Amino acid sequence: MYRANKMSSGLLLTAYLLLVAGNFSQVNGQTLGTTGVTVFEGARLITGDGNTVEDSAFVVENNRFTIVGRRSDVLVPAGTARVQLTGKTVMPAMIDLHGHIGYQNVAQGTMSKATYTRENLIDHLQRLAYHGVSAIVGIGDLVSRSDMQGGRTNWGDVPLRVREEIIPNAALFKTAGAGMAWPGAGAQGHPSRADVMYPVTTLEEARAAVQDYVRMKPEFIKIWVDDRDGRVKTLTPPLYRAIIEEAHKHNVPVGVHNVKLADAKELMRAGAEGWLHVPVRQGEAVDDEILSLVKERIAKNDRPRMWVTPGLQTAWMNTQGQRPAWLDDPLLRETYSPQHILEYWGDPLMKMTPDAVARARKNLALDGSNMMKLRAAGMRVVMGTDTGQTRFFIGYFNHMALESFVAIGMTPAEAIVAATRDSAEIAKVNSGMVAAGRSADFIVLDANNPLENISNTRRINKVYLRGQEIPRNVMTGKWQSEFRRTESP
């Protein structure tokens, strides 16, 4: 609670200067002063930690929240800028721990290494911001690494440079570097990404790759343990145990893409911290042993903070039938062309037979059940969308991820906490909550309450990053112009 007799000296000084200067202006119909302090009043406030404040007020100063509470309890200096949000809902911006951005030319619908430039990476970060995402961790990023033959790949350092910047109207960028895999068994999809990760086949290569990898100071080391239904070789248990052991010598955590129950158990025993996708999936079910392994690590305080980005948004989208309402969502059409929406999702969904939809629902139910059991055992669900491939809509997929969380059994409130506060903690960013001291990153939603229907997070009115409203109308105008220039006749 903030009272006038507890006002900070900084606020007193700025209020005094305002009164002396008598300098006011009008922005968007709101009366603004010159204190450099703004109070946002009247919204339903979802704080990000599971709490909600009706008829709220929160103060932003120097790009951070300083005071948060009920409007009746918050007193601010005369002359402070006031933004009225009565009838709106405010929630924290989201954080994405599983992105593959930078490779895609969104307007053209193509992918390549040549596209991985500072300008294109920033475009993707701005698309994320447009949708209310304040930070993302890139994985499989195009960055120079050892070629494992005594040379370097010479792919440059774009992701390492961009992570040091605070770019206007853009999400913060963090990187998990290139990743590691058995040759050809890493990132799939477009071939532009297939050779980016360190290729390792021996214990010596595994340890040498980690030693080179940690020089990038990645958020975590990403490894792929997936034989792609028997089509390729993958990292063996001795190899991934060596990678995890070497990474931990350098105090760097490890995030894993794996599929099989047996690998999930071994990775759990080896001390992996994160999972990029549900650890047990594609027809297998968790058992009592793996649940006991999770609980045992927590009880022993043995790297107890285990997290998962379920990545079930595409599975959930495939269960929605041939013409789901989100295909016509204005938010989606503001950032993607009708041609690409039809190509990536409209046509494929129309071709799904009733049997295919039934199988999709069965698979989602099993994978979701696995995730919820692991969550109940102590693993933390956080947000990660796998975004950046052509049909993985940048920014929009964060809202689809929220809906998939609810589809597998989380409440809307739990889904929002997972995507905001908990994701910010794992990503180590000062965002994800509307709370004093946090970066002022928040989404203003139109009237409907996402705690009643999670799809209401898509009804975005405004987005603020670091206390500044981003110019969404200008941004979507630029993207729509690019689509018109590249559309087929």
Side-chain angles (χ1 to χ4, degrees):
M1 186 183 299
Y2 182 80
R3 295 292 184 186
N5 61 354
K6 295 182 180 178
M7 195 182 305
S8 71
S9 59
L11 290 178
L12 281 168
L13 176 60
T14 51
Y16 171 75
L17 292 174
L18 173 66
L19 291 171
V20 172
N23 184 13
F24 295 89
S25 61
Q26 290 284 328
V27 177
N28 294 330
Q30 305 294 337
T31 301
L32 303 185
T34 58
T35 61
V37 183
T38 304
V39 58
F40 297 81
E41 302 175 295
R44 173 190 297 112
L45 174 62
I46 300 169
T47 57
D49 59 358
N51 292 314
T52 304
V53 182
E54 298 291 343
D55 193 22
S56 69
F58 54 92
V59 177
V60 174
E61 181 179 10
N62 295 328
N63 305 329
R64 295 195 179 193
F65 300 112
T66 57
I67 308 157
V68 179
R70 289 184 57 83
R71 177 155 52 174
S72 59
D73 294 334
V74 173
L75 299 179
V76 295
T80 296
R82 293 181 180 272
V83 176
Q84 295 297 329
L85 296 178
T86 301
K88 305 294 185 185
T89 297
V90 168
M91 63 175 279
M94 297 175 282
I95 293 90
D96 193 322
L97 283 146
H98 187 181
H100 299 296
I101 60 175
Y103 295 92
Q104 182 187 169
N105 182 318
V106 176
Q108 296 180 6
T110 59
M111 293 184 66
S112 70
K113 285 186 174 67
T115 305
Y116 202 109
T117 63
R118 179 179 182 277
E119 292 71 24
N120 196 54
L121 187 55
I122 289 173
D123 176 78
H124 293 183
L125 296 172
Q126 290 177 333
R127 291 173 185 275
L128 289 161
Y130 186 92
H131 290 84
V133 178
S134 63
I136 188 169
V137 178
I139 299 171
D141 293 327
L142 191 66
V143 59
S144 288
R145 59 163 176 79
S146 167
D147 64 7
M148 307 305 293
Q149 297 176 355
R152 308 293 297 176
T153 59
N154 297 319
W155 285 328
D157 62 351
V158 166
L160 306 185
R161 288 187 286 112
V162 171
R163 72 175 174 185
E164 301 299 325
E165 300 183 58
I166 298 176
I167 299 163
N169 309 317
L172 296 177
F173 180 74
K174 307 190 87 173
T175 181
M180 298 177 65
W182 189 276
Q188 304 293 293
H190 197 272
S192 61
R193 303 188 304 130
D195 62 348
V196 168
M197 53 287 312
Y198 290 87
V200 296
T201 60
T202 68
L203 295 178
E204 292 74 17
E205 287 176 342
R207 295 187 184 279
V210 171
Q211 291 161 15
D212 188 68
Y213 199 151
V214 298
R215 293 164 57 194
M216 300 178 195
K217 298 182 180 178
E219 296 306 308
F220 51 84
I221 284 177
K222 165 70 180 287
I223 62 174
W224 280 260
V225 184
D226 187 351
D227 65 8
R228 310 294 175 176
D229 296 319
R231 290 183 286 106
V232 297
K233 291 185 177 180
T234 190
L235 296 176
T236 62
L239 283 173
Y240 57 68
R241 282 196 293 263
I243 291 168
I244 295 170
E245 179 182 330
E246 191 68 27
H248 288 169
K249 288 180 183 177
H250 297 275
N251 296 316
V252 177
V254 175
V256 183
H257 165 129
N258 84 278
V259 174
K260 296 177 180 177
L261 175 63
D263 284 319
K265 291 177 181 179
E266 287 303 310
L267 290 158
M268 191 74 64
R269 292 187 181 100
E273 289 91 343
W275 273 262
L276 291 305
H277 300 292
V278 181
V280 182
R281 52 197 170 105
Q282 294 183 3
E284 290 198 280
V286 301
D287 61 13
D288 290 341
E289 183 181 17
I290 193 169
L291 298 177
S292 295
L293 288 171
V294 174
K295 294 174 183 178
E296 182 180 358
R297 274 183 55 173
I298 294 169
K300 292 182 176 179
N301 199 32
D302 176 17
R303 302 183 184 273
R305 190 171 67 172
M306 291 165 280
W307 51 271
V308 184
T309 66
L312 294 174
Q313 59 281 339
T314 53
W316 176 81
M317 292 160 76
N318 282 328
T319 68
Q320 299 305 292
Q322 293 186 329
R323 188 68 195 179
W326 54 261
L327 281 174
D328 298 308
D329 188 348
L331 179 62
L332 177 57
R333 291 179 176 269
E334 286 160 11
T335 53
Y336 277 83
S337 71
Q339 175 182 321
H340 286 150
I341 294 169
L342 185 66
E343 177 186 346
Y344 300 155
W345 282 95
D347 286 345
L349 287 175
M350 284 296 294
K351 293 175 182 176
M352 288 187 71
T353 64
D355 285 347
V357 173
R359 285 194 300 273
R361 291 173 178 167
K362 181 180 178 181
N363 291 338
L364 177 63
L366 179 56
D367 290 348
S369 173
N370 286 341
M371 186 67 262
M372 293 300 285
K373 289 176 182 178
L374 290 165
R375 179 175 180 265
M379 298 187 82
R380 186 178 303 187
V381 171
V382 293
M383 175 166 279
T385 60
D386 218 359
T387 194
Q389 302 175 71
T390 49
R391 69 192 301 260
F392 286 49
F393 298 128
I394 298 172
Y396 194 79
F397 255 39
N398 295 89
H399 297 273
M400 296 289 97
L402 284 172
E403 295 182 37
S404 73
F405 288 174
V406 173
I408 67 172
M410 296 172 70
T411 67
E414 291 170 337
I416 291 172
V417 170
T420 57
R421 183 197 66 185
D422 289 355
S423 292
E425 181 179 336
I426 300 302
K428 299 187 286 293
V429 294
N430 187 33
S431 187
M433 284 182 62
V434 180
R438 296 278 183 139
S439 179
D441 307 324
F442 60 97
I443 312 168
V444 180
L445 304 173
D446 285 320
N448 292 354
N449 187 353
L451 298 178
E452 296 172 355
N453 184 338
I454 194 63
S455 69
N456 289 329
T457 65
R458 295 190 256 130
R459 297 193 60 190
I460 297 174
N461 181 273
K462 299 179 187 295
V463 174
Y464 288 78
L465 292 185
R466 301 172 288 278
Q468 304 298 312
E469 182 184 351
I470 68 170
R472 298 177 78 246
N473 288 340
V474 174
M475 296 162 80
T476 194
K478 168 181 174 286
W479 295 323
Q480 291 295 322
S481 177
E482 291 172 351
F483 288 137
R484 285 192 293 271
R485 289 198 301 269
T486 58
E487 281 177 351
S488 300

